[in-house]
Amino acid sequence: ALGIARKVMAAFRGTPLEADMRSALARVAEALEGHVSMDPSALTDRISVLGEDYAPQDPEVWLAAARLAQRRECARMRYRRFDGAVKDYAIEPVHLAAWHGEWYLLANRAGRESLATFAMSRILRIAGTGAIFEPTDPSDIRRSLDERFGIVGGEEMLDVRLRFAPKVAAYVAGRVWHPSQEIVRRRDGSVELRLRTRGWKELVRFVLSWQPDVRVLRPRKLRERVEAKMREALGGRGGGGQ
């Protein structure tokens, strides 16, 4: 378990926690009683954790954001959006989350009911204002994360139904794509994936990644959004980032 733990620490590379976690694992290993007669690396040389693409982190920014969230301190942040535009934000940092090779800062923003999401690798500067905000209930944060499809949330809850072709049915049915999912098997060998989510951007990308083996049954606006993106791709027009 210790050997594998070393391999799965990749999510923390580039953050101040990386060295601390390695040190903690070393202490645990030293504290184990009994005689060790084999090189620990031999226990895991038949196990690999394949790396995925990831966004390098600025350790100082990461630590500053983590401390602000811990202290519940309001912050001002300069941020590079997905489309490259730079914008200043006044936020209440409440939570850090790792997803698909990136760390994200979840924060309250004035005028928004749901938590805003910022990629931490694109935070150019963040500093506290000294003002303290009211704590966010941890169960609200957990619910917000569970309701999303991916990392980006939204205001509207969507009832989603996707039908996958028989040739990919076994793979789709054998994985957990979302906490709310339900798998319905059809007589023709296809499967229907049903879920409720506030996620929107990743959901569109997910459906596009399964073309031509998936059909959007519900909601209609998801089907229309996917069709529009496919027309853009076939027409050779680049879409604008957000």
Side-chain angles (χ1 to χ4, degrees):
L2 284 171
I4 295 173
R6 292 178 184 274
K7 293 176 179 285
V8 298
M9 283 195 304
F12 295 89
R13 57 191 160 197
T15 74
L17 292 181
E18 182 178 18
D20 292 342
M21 293 177 70
R22 292 186 184 281
S23 177
L25 284 176
R27 291 194 189 99
V28 171
E30 291 172 0
L32 294 177
E33 298 181 356
H35 179 65
V36 178
S37 59
M38 96 170 28
D39 184 346
S41 63
L43 299 174
T44 56
D45 63 357
R46 296 296 185 271
I47 299 173
S48 294
V49 178
L50 300 181
E52 60 180 348
D53 59 290
Y54 70 98
Q57 301 294 317
D58 182 329
E60 293 185 4
V61 168
W62 194 98
L63 187 58
R67 286 174 172 168
L68 289 167
Q70 179 67 28
R71 294 196 300 262
R72 305 196 312 274
E73 183 177 351
C74 298
R76 294 192 180 279
M77 177 180 70
R78 174 153 291 185
Y79 182 74
R80 189 181 304 281
R81 303 193 330 169
F82 192 82
D83 60 5
V86 174
K87 187 176 180 180
D88 293 326
Y89 293 88
I91 61 172
E92 296 176 353
V94 299
H95 195 75
L96 275 64
W99 186 76
H100 279 211
E102 172 68 283
W103 279 88
Y104 293 87
L105 176 62
L106 276 60
N108 291 316
R109 285 178 56 197
R112 290 181 57 125
E113 293 185 6
S114 60
L115 289 171
T117 307
F118 300 95
M120 293 182 64
S121 65
R122 288 189 268 120
I123 297 176
L124 305 178
R125 184 170 66 249
I126 186 169
T129 66
I132 302 301
F133 60 88
E134 290 296 318
T136 302
D137 190 328
S139 63
D140 290 340
I141 298 173
R142 185 69 261 169
R143 182 171 59 254
S144 176
L145 290 171
D146 286 345
E147 287 177 348
R148 302 173 181 213
F149 192 90
I151 193 63
V152 180
E155 301 294 337
E156 179 185 2
M157 182 68 80
L158 303 172
D159 287 305
V160 180
R161 292 174 57 181
L162 307 173
R163 180 175 290 184
F164 290 84
K167 66 179 180 180
V168 299
Y171 182 87
V172 172
R175 299 178 74 86
V176 177
W177 304 98
H178 192 266
S180 69
Q181 79 176 41
E182 176 188 0
I183 297 291
V184 178
R185 300 179 185 274
R186 299 297 183 184
R187 290 184 178 180
D188 64 357
S190 65
V191 297
E192 189 175 313
L193 174 64
R194 300 178 179 179
L195 55 92
R196 284 175 55 82
T197 179
R198 296 186 193 277
W200 182 249
K201 294 179 181 178
E202 280 96 351
L203 186 57
V204 172
R205 295 177 186 136
F206 175 76
V207 174
L208 288 171
S209 72
W210 281 100
Q211 294 298 328
D213 298 314
V214 63
R215 178 185 175 192
V216 179
L217 304 180
R218 183 186 298 174
R220 178 178 178 179
K221 68 176 186 177
L222 173 59
R223 181 170 65 250
E224 292 174 344
R225 181 66 170 168
V226 169
E227 290 174 349
K229 287 293 184 181
M230 292 182 70
R231 285 194 296 271
E232 286 182 11
L234 292 173
R237 298 189 302 273
Q242 298 183 33

